[in-house]
Amino acid sequence: MQKYREILQKYLPETAVEEVYRSIVQYKIHLRITKNRSTKLGDYRPAQKNQPHRISINHNLNTYAFLITLIHEIAHLIVFENFNPRVRPHGKEWKYCFREIMEPYLGLEIFPYEIQIALKNYLKNPSASSNANLTLARVLKKYDPKDNEGIFIEELPEKSQFKIHNGKTFERLEQRRKRIKCLCLDNKKLYLFDPLTKVYPISAVSTS
C-alpha cells in the first residue's frame, strides 16, 4: 500500500494524502489517472459484479484541482451507496455529500488562502463541475503549470483570432452570460467557449 501513497503524493497536496488514502481504502476505490479529457475533469463508475468502485481523474490537474475533483467523484460514490440511484446526479443529495466530505479538508491547512475562500463560497451551492464556478475556476487556474504561449479566451479582445489545441482557427466575438461566442474560420460555424479555455492568439483584427 506504500506504493499507492507514493502515487497519491504526485497528484495531491502533501497534507491531504493520508485522508484521501483512508477514503480509497474505506470505499475500496480503484483510482485511475487518465490523459486530459476536454469534456470532464473526473468520472465515477459504480461497483458491479467483480468490479470495485472506479474513479478516474485527469492527470494534468494541479494538486488542488485534483483533490477537489476527487472529492467530487467520491461524493457520487456515497450517493450511489446511500440513496436511490435515480436521484439527480448533482441534486441535493450529492450537494450534501460533497459538502460533508469536503469541509474537513478546509481545516487541514491544505489550500492557499484565496482557494480556501473561493471553495467555501462554492460549497454553499456546489455545481456539476468546479469549472462551472468561474470564481473558483479562475483561482485554481493560477496554480496550473505556466504556459508561455496560451492565454484564457476571456483575456482576448473582440475580433481577435486564435487557435485551439487541435489547430482550428477562430475569431472571438461577444461575451454571452456564461460563454464567449466565437466564429470558426475553418468551417464558418459558431461555437460557445468557456471563458477559461486556453487558446493561442495568432492576430488581432482592427475594428477601426
Side-chain angles (χ1 to χ4, degrees):
M1 290 300 184
Q2 181 59 29
K3 184 177 180 180
Y4 219 145
R5 285 190 177 92
E6 291 173 358
I7 293 173
L8 292 174
Q9 287 170 354
K10 296 178 182 179
Y11 296 97
L12 292 169
E14 183 177 354
T15 48
V17 170
E18 285 303 315
E19 190 70 26
V20 169
Y21 176 75
R22 281 193 287 270
S23 294
I24 288 174
V25 172
Q26 177 183 354
Y27 296 111
K28 299 179 175 62
I29 298 169
H30 175 73
L31 178 63
R32 188 164 64 94
I33 313 300
T34 71
K35 64 182 181 179
N36 182 36
R37 295 167 292 189
S38 59
T39 57
K40 57 187 173 182
L41 305 179
D43 184 63
Y44 165 68
R45 292 287 181 268
Q48 54 183 345
K49 297 182 180 180
N50 296 322
Q51 293 287 336
H53 295 286
R54 289 158 290 162
I55 290 176
S56 63
I57 309 291
N58 292 4
H59 81 280
N60 62 329
L61 300 182
N62 68 56
T63 57
Y64 307 114
F66 191 100
L67 174 58
I68 293 170
T69 303
L70 179 56
I71 299 305
H72 176 120
E73 302 305 336
I74 291 175
H76 281 303
L77 184 160
I78 295 174
V79 169
F80 178 82
E81 287 199 333
N82 293 279
F83 298 95
N84 187 322
R86 295 182 180 179
V87 299
R88 293 171 56 200
H90 297 98
K92 62 182 181 180
E93 297 85 0
W94 175 83
K95 292 176 188 288
Y96 172 80
C97 291
F98 181 72
R99 278 193 294 265
E100 286 292 300
I101 306 168
M102 192 76 250
E103 284 180 350
Y105 287 88
L106 296 177
L108 296 178
E109 298 184 354
I110 292 171
F111 300 103
Y113 178 76
E114 59 182 344
I115 295 181
Q116 181 102 344
I117 295 301
L119 184 55
K120 283 182 178 179
N121 287 329
Y122 172 68
L123 286 176
K124 294 175 183 177
N125 186 26
S127 51
S129 168
S130 58
N131 276 353
N133 182 290
L134 283 178
T135 300
L136 177 58
R138 285 190 183 104
V139 173
L140 287 172
K141 291 287 186 182
K142 292 182 182 180
Y143 296 84
D144 285 349
K146 298 301 180 183
D147 184 336
N148 293 329
E149 296 181 357
I151 66 172
F152 298 138
I153 191 172
E154 68 176 1
E155 299 177 58
L156 286 175
E158 284 191 26
K159 302 299 183 181
S160 294
Q161 294 179 5
F162 62 91
K163 287 187 176 182
I164 60 174
H165 62 91
N166 61 10
K168 288 187 177 180
T169 305
F170 292 82
E171 180 178 314
R172 185 201 192 279
L173 302 178
E174 71 268 19
Q175 171 87 45
R176 294 291 184 87
R177 190 168 68 91
K178 291 186 176 181
R179 302 282 175 170
I180 295 175
K181 186 166 75 170
C182 298
L183 173 67
C184 179
L185 301 178
D186 301 311
N187 59 19
K188 305 304 179 184
K189 292 182 179 180
L190 293 172
Y191 294 83
L192 294 176
F193 280 80
D194 185 294
L196 298 181
T197 301
K198 213 53 167 309
V199 300
Y200 305 91
I202 55 176
S203 68
V205 179
S206 174
T207 58
S208 60

